[in-house]
Amino acid sequence: MKPRELEAYRKLLEDVISSLGREEIAIGETSEADGKLQVSLIKGHHAYHAEMPLAAFAERRQVKAALNALLVKLNKIIEQERADTIRRVA
């Protein structure tokens, strides 16, 4: 995949994140392999590496749904880390 194509996917993801009101989430590195976009979602010092099928980019609605599912996973990971930290400190 050409760098321009990756940048277009990145911009679309950033637009969707903004439309979801999740400006605290940043898009890290993006790459393509085996028909999937590999993307890093960053929130604070947390990074979540995920894959999205390129077919999900056919419609903005599909991108929004796929990205929202990844954001839910990221939030669960962060909450688990916080819970683990609280248990260690207590």
Side-chain angles (χ1 to χ4, degrees):
M1 181 174 291
K2 296 179 183 175
R4 266 190 272 164
E5 292 172 306
L6 280 175
E7 187 60 28
Y9 284 121
R10 173 194 210 68
K11 286 186 186 283
L12 177 57
L13 290 173
E14 289 171 346
D15 288 346
V16 171
I17 285 175
S18 180
S19 75
L20 291 169
R22 301 296 305 269
E23 287 85 6
E24 79 279 10
I25 306 292
I27 301 294
E29 292 187 33
T30 56
S31 61
E32 184 270 334
D34 301 324
K36 296 179 181 177
L37 183 70
Q38 298 172 334
V39 61
S40 295
L41 302 174
I42 302 166
K43 181 177 180 180
H45 66 278
H46 300 278
Y48 176 62
H49 307 285
E51 293 182 341
M52 296 177 69
L54 291 176
F57 288 86
E59 293 183 24
R60 186 176 175 92
R61 177 179 50 87
Q62 291 174 306
V63 175
K64 193 172 185 177
L67 189 55
N68 204 32
L70 293 178
L71 293 176
V72 168
K73 289 179 184 178
L74 174 62
N75 284 336
K76 286 181 180 181
I77 290 168
I78 291 170
E79 288 305 314
Q80 185 61 52
E81 286 179 8
R82 286 182 183 157
D84 292 345
T85 299
I86 290 170
R87 272 187 246 126
R88 281 194 303 267
V89 173

